[in-house]
């Protein structure tokens, strides 16, 4: 059974930082591309950042220079370090694992507000 469990969300002031974690089980983690998506109220889910099995990364233009995705294959975990957070980063953040099939976590809420 595949499980992706996100953690690390919460309420933060503008300009602050958060680090999201996604622990995976039930998959051969190192073979999977991993990604973080987000969905704000009334908007479509969008890709925030992704990291390939070989470590290559790509980011949405809106987060370049502020967010960093990384993975620890020994811990079956992918991270999203979010710095200089803005109110428009407020959303539910979802972890995604992709090889042939897609798997999703349950999401973690990030709220950026003063």
């Amino acid at each position: 059974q595949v499980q992706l469990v996100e953690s690390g969300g919460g309420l933060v002031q503008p300009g602050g930082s958060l680090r999201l974690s996604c622990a995976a089980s039930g998959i051969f983690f190192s073979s999977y591309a991993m990604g973080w998506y987000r969905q704000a109220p009334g908007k479509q889910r969008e890709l925030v950042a992704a990291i390939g099995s070989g470590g290559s990364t790509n980011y949405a233009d809106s987060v370049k220079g502020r967010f960093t995705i990384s993975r620890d294959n020994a811990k079956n975990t992918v991270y999203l370090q979010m710095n200089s957070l803005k109110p428009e980063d407020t959303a539910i953040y979802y972890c995604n694992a992709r090889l042939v099939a897609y798997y999703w976590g349950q999401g973690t809420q990030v709220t950026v507000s003063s």
Side-chain angles (χ1 to χ4, degrees):
Q1 181 181 359
V2 178
Q3 280 194 315
L4 301 176
V5 180
E6 301 101 333
S7 61
L11 173 63
V12 64
Q13 292 186 341
S17 297
L18 283 174
R19 188 176 84 151
L20 305 183
S21 300
C22 171
S25 60
I27 59 173
F28 193 64
F29 181 80
S30 61
S31 294
Y32 278 71
M34 301 298 296
W36 287 96
Y37 288 70
R38 67 187 180 188
Q39 187 165 19
K43 294 189 176 181
Q44 289 188 331
R45 191 173 297 189
E46 63 175 357
L47 176 66
V48 176
I51 184 165
S53 58
S56 61
T57 59
N58 65 285
Y59 297 91
D61 287 344
S62 59
V63 306
K64 280 181 182 176
R66 301 188 297 123
F67 290 11
T68 302
I69 189 170
S70 61
R71 66 190 297 159
D72 185 338
N73 289 339
K75 295 182 178 180
N76 287 4
T77 300
V78 61
Y79 305 97
L80 185 68
Q81 178 66 44
M82 306 186 292
N83 299 328
S84 302
L85 282 160
K86 304 175 181 180
E88 51 263 43
D89 295 317
T90 295
I92 300 174
Y93 284 70
Y94 297 91
C95 177
N96 168 266
R98 173 173 53 88
L99 187 55
V100 176
Y102 279 68
Y103 299 101
W104 295 93
Q106 81 288 350
T108 186
Q109 177 70 48
V110 172
T111 302
V112 185
S113 175
S114 55

